[in-house]
């Protein structure tokens, strides 16, 4: 197959919030910038973000970045790097005001300032009382943000390659990154994008789980590409789950349903939350509810033929209340669970929502790897931002509204670093190796010639089910160990998947096979890292690491206050220290403490 | 005008899971039976922003015309 080569100053993979924010920085600085994206930019998954973006503007209640930093470090269960967190919280006002100037239609106060509302985990005065820190545009914050950024990029002449899928990262013999190979869906042609700087902004990989709130495009393409190219993945054991996704579908049932009186019941109809949280019952915090649900299912008290879900019951509420206070829930239950919630309870399971780990970066957006004794050596020419990256600001658990902030701050920061490196002459167009496209071409040729293989769907389903059962929201040593073996087996099977449709153009089956390669890397990273971490921290909660006096919340700082690094080659694990030191000498570190709310 | 079915199939990948799930069922069950007129209606529907598209599919907003309504009925059918 002939391979066309295109040359740019920079290529950005992904056109969600992080990719668009980074692209803007480059294009406005006059760099020749290509953005590759599987779907039209304003159809990226950032659209689904509703909650808002955190910034300590103090428009509604007194606020400052120190308090935001404290909340974020505590939320991360102290696994977040304090230099990156300080950077993000200090930059928040700047990136939000910038967005306002780009035309983002934020909700307003009566006197015209950006309206701010409270959000879980955000506080005033180091945890004392709730604060209004979230800036939103009705319930379409992510959507409005993407539109503002996209329009601005069009103005800045960013060149978009829409309906292109990046395939593999290109590195030279010294490990420098020289660009990517990519497939144009309309023609089926493979092309090399040769450039001085490559930024990954490909989002998360929530589709590794059977129950996931993520759209189908969230297949961790950048994370998978990085792993295949020898870049380690950081803290991949940490995934945020929501307790109530519709079983089998993943669509979220908002917490408001339990707020209005919804009750969780097990297979025998018992209101089981009374046993786990006698006071708050069904309104206990997300992690408590998720763990209780998992325990019921694992101990055989689930519902349905496979006893693999529990029920969310609102049949005791007046139909008018349901239709008035919970609009949308009726439709979601009818569409995705096939039940009328006025008459029947809704099947629900804890559902994967957000990937805290990813491609390791520093706060400048540079991808960093261990080299010559320095655990954070930048990889020349390689940058990452947003959910695919691990800066690490979310650590073991992300606070709501910090994800939109993450993609704005680190999208911009990665862009600024590239522009600095570009203008100072630190970046050059390094020669392409002769075999630059060989890995990608071999992957495509394998799919072309494969016979007697399993379907991509079947192998993908096995991966999703295994991850859900063995590395879900509540983790058990024996299940994790068995899960590692199973995922390794699934990974082997993924090497011989077969697609029946061999057509060249608009071949969705081929795209899905290539996406599965990326998901498999993420699934392996997740379960191997989770099995190895023998403590509970943030979203990683093990049954054999309970809350004790010696290890509050099951957290073991003596042994496990460190970042995991997983290498695809041989499933090798390495670790690096958490940065407990803020960026500036005069910023006080947030000292280790038990995470309680 | 020829509409490429493969392109439309790919463009049924959306930003919201709700739509992905609805389109998955539609692609498996209805898509191959669509005639050219219906493909045109689908193409127009797919140009909508995802929140607007979901509002039409979930019935909180009306379809814009009869042709679109017919596609939406297929999308909504259990």
């Amino acid at each position: 197959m002939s391979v066309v080569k295109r040359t740019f100053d920079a290529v950005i993979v992904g056109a969600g919030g992080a990719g668009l924010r980074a692209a803007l920085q480059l294009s406005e600085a006059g760099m020749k910038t290509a953005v590759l994206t599987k779907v039209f930019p304003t159809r990226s998954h950032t659209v689904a973000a509703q909650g808002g973006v955190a910034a300590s503007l103090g428009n509604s209640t007194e606020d400052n970045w120190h308090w935001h930093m404290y909340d974020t470090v505590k939320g991360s269960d102290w696994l977040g790097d304090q230099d990156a967190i300080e950077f993000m919280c200090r930059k928040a006002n700047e990136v939000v005001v910038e967005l306002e100037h780009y035309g983002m239609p934020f909700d307003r106060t009566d006197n015209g300032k950006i309206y701010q509302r409270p959000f879980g985990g955000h506080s005033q005065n180091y945890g004392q009382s709730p604060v209004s820190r979230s800036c939103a545009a009705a319930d379409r914050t992510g959507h409005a943000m993407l539109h503002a950024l996209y329009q601005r990029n069009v103005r800045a002449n960013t060149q978009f390659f829409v309906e292109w899928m990046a395939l593999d990262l290109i590195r030279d013999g010294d490990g420098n990154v020289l660009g990517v190979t990519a497939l144009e869906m309309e023609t089926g042609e493979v092309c090399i994008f040769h450039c001085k700087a490559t930024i990954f902004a490909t989002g998360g990989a929530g589709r590794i789980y059977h129950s996931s709130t993520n759209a189908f495009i969230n297949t961790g393409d950048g994370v998978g590409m990085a792993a295949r190219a020898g870049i380690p993945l950081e803290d991949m054991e940490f995934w945020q789950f929501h307790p109530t996704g519709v079983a089998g579908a993943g669509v979220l049932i908002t917490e408001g349903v339990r707020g209005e009186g919804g009750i969780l019941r097990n297979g025998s109809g018992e209101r089981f939350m009374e046993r786990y949280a006698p006071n708050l019952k069904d309104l206990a915090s997300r992690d408590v509810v998720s763990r209780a649900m998992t325990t019921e299912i694992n101990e055989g008290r689930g519902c349905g033929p496979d006893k693999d879900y529990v029920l969310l019951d609102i049949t005791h509420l007046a139909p008018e209340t349901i239709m008035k206070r919970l609009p949308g829930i009726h439709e979601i239950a009818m569409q995705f669970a096939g039940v009328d919630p006025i008459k029947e309870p809704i099947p629900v399971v804890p559902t994967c929502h957000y990937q805290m780990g990813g491609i390791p970066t520093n706060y400048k957006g540079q991808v960093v790897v261990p080299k010559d004794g320095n655990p954070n050596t930048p990889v020349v020419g390689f940058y990452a931002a947003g959910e695919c990256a691990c800066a690490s600001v979310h650590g073991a658990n992300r606070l709501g509204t910090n994800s939109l902030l993450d993609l704005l701050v680190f999208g911009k920061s990665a862009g600024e670093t590239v522009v600095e490196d570009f203008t100072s002459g630190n970046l050059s167009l390094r020669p392409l190796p002769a075999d630059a496209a060989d890995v990608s071409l071999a992957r495509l040729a394998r799919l072309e010639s494969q016979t007697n293989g399993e379907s991509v769907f079947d192998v993908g389903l096995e991966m999703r089910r295994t991850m859900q059962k063995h590395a879900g929201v509540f983790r058990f040593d024996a299940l994790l160990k068995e899960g590692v073996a199973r995922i390794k087996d699934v990974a082997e099977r993924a090497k011989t998947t077969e697609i029946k449709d061999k057509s060249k153009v608009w071949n969705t089956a081929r795209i899905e096979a290539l996406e599965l390669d990326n998901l498999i890397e993420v699934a392996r990273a997740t379960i191997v890292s989770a099995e190895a971490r023998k403590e509970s921290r943030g979203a990683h909660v093990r049954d054999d690491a309970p809350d004790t006096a010696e290890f509050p919340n099951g957290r073991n700082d003596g042994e496990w206050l460190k970042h995991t690094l997983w290498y695809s080659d041989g499933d090798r694990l390495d670790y690096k220290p958490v940065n407990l030191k803020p960026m500036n000498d005069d910023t006080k570190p947030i000292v280790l403490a038990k995470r309680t709310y | 005008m020829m509409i490429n079915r493969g392109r439309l199939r790919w463009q049924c990948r959306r930003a919201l899971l709700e739509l992905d799930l609805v389109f998955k069922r539609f692609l498996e069950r209805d898509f191959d039976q669509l005639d050219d007129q219906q493909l045109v209606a689908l193409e127009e529907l797919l140009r909508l922003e995802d929140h607007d598209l979901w509002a039409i599919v979930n019935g909180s907003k009306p379809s814009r015309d009869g042709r679109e309504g017919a596609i939406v009925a297929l999308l909504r059918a259990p």
Side-chain angles (χ1 to χ4, degrees), chain A residues 156-284:
Chain A
N157 284 324
T158 302
Q159 196 173 340
F160 288 96
F161 291 78
V162 177
E163 291 161 344
W164 283 68
M165 180 178 178
L167 299 177
D168 288 287
L169 192 65
I170 302 171
R171 303 181 77 182
D172 66 15
D174 296 326
N176 304 310
V177 168
L178 314 176
V180 292
T181 53
L183 175 86
E184 183 180 24
M185 296 184 198
E186 188 177 2
T187 61
E189 300 293 344
V190 174
C191 178
I192 288 174
F193 285 79
H194 185 203
C195 52
K196 298 174 183 174
T198 302
I199 305 180
F200 275 9
T202 53
R207 299 305 306 174
I208 63 169
Y209 284 98
H210 191 56
S211 194
S212 168
T213 67
N214 286 196
F216 290 2
I217 46 176
N218 287 28
T219 55
D221 298 335
V223 184
M225 283 189 277
R228 276 198 302 279
I231 305 286
L233 302 181
E234 180 173 344
D235 293 340
M236 290 303 294
E237 60 271 46
F238 298 99
W239 290 83
Q240 193 161 56
F241 279 71
H242 191 288
T244 54
V246 173
V251 177
L252 274 191
I253 304 282
T254 133
E255 251 129 13
V257 172
R258 279 174 286 132
E260 288 295 336
I263 291 170
L264 289 162
R265 298 189 188 280
N266 63 17
S268 51
E270 183 205 0
R271 183 182 192 177
F272 59 85
M273 282 311 300
E274 287 178 332
R275 278 189 276 118
Y276 297 89
N279 296 322
L280 289 173
K281 297 179 184 147
D282 302 276
L283 289 174

Side-chain angles (χ1 to χ4, degrees), chain A residues 271-550:
Chain A
R271 183 182 192 177
F272 59 85
M273 282 311 300
E274 287 178 332
R275 278 189 276 118
Y276 297 89
N279 296 322
L280 289 173
K281 297 179 184 147
D282 302 276
L283 289 174
S285 66
R286 280 185 185 184
D287 55 331
V288 172
V289 175
S290 292
R291 280 203 292 281
M293 291 167 69
T294 305
T295 304
E296 292 299 298
I297 292 168
N298 283 348
E299 293 181 358
R301 293 188 294 277
C303 309
D306 297 325
K307 296 181 184 290
D308 55 356
Y309 57 82
V310 297
L311 293 169
L312 179 57
D313 187 1
I314 54 171
T315 57
H316 53 288
L317 302 184
E320 308 83 67
T321 308
I322 294 174
M323 299 311 280
K324 189 177 154 205
R325 296 250 179 84
L326 305 168
I329 294 305
H330 186 259
E331 175 67 19
I332 283 172
M334 296 287 284
Q335 270 290 341
F336 303 113
V339 302
D340 179 349
I342 293 171
K343 297 177 187 144
E344 286 177 80
I346 312 165
V348 290
V349 288
T351 295
C352 167
H353 189 52
Y354 187 86
Q355 168 192 314
M356 264 81 72
I359 303 166
T361 69
N362 56 23
Y363 68 83
K364 294 177 172 176
Q366 296 169 304
V367 175
V368 292
V369 298
K371 195 178 174 188
D372 303 330
N374 175 5
N376 294 305
T377 307
V379 177
V380 175
F382 195 24
Y383 310 79
E387 192 172 340
C388 77
C390 182
S392 134
V393 285
H394 309 304
N397 177 59
R398 175 186 66 92
L399 293 188
T401 70
N402 265 354
S403 52
L404 288 182
L405 179 61
D406 167 356
L407 57 83
L408 286 175
V409 168
F410 294 106
K412 180 178 181 184
S413 181
E416 282 180 332
T417 307
V418 168
V419 171
E420 274 168 31
D421 290 349
F422 179 75
T423 48
S424 64
N426 283 342
L427 290 172
S428 58
L429 197 66
R430 293 163 193 274
L432 275 177
D435 61 355
D438 285 9
V439 171
S440 300
L441 294 177
R443 289 173 65 207
L444 291 168
R446 200 280 296 166
L447 276 174
E448 192 70 27
S449 61
Q450 183 74 50
T451 52
N452 298 320
E454 285 182 273
S455 80
V456 171
F457 179 81
D458 287 347
V459 177
L461 183 63
E462 185 66 23
M463 171 195 69
R464 294 189 290 274
R465 286 200 167 141
T466 305
M467 291 304 293
Q468 190 79 26
K469 181 174 174 195
H470 293 267
V473 69
F474 191 23
R475 294 166 174 180
F476 302 81
D477 191 55
L479 273 174
L480 283 165
K481 285 193 164 70
E482 192 190 327
V484 168
R486 281 179 183 238
I487 283 294
K488 285 182 179 176
D489 177 55
V490 172
E492 283 305 308
R493 288 161 56 187
K495 290 177 184 167
T496 56
T497 51
E498 181 183 354
I499 51 172
K500 302 289 180 197
D501 179 1
K502 311 278 191 191
S503 59
K504 207 163 175 241
V505 304
W506 295 113
N507 186 339
T508 301
R510 176 183 290 136
I511 299 296
E512 287 171 355
L514 295 165
E515 289 175 331
L516 182 64
D517 290 344
N518 295 326
L519 286 165
I520 290 281
E521 296 289 332
V522 178
R524 286 170 52 217
T526 299
I527 202 157
V528 170
S529 304
E531 191 278 324
R533 184 176 284 270
K534 310 289 184 194
E535 64 159 356
S536 296
R537 182 184 299 268
H540 173 70
V541 182
R542 291 178 68 113
D543 149 80
D544 55 3
D547 185 16
T548 62
E550 189 184 4

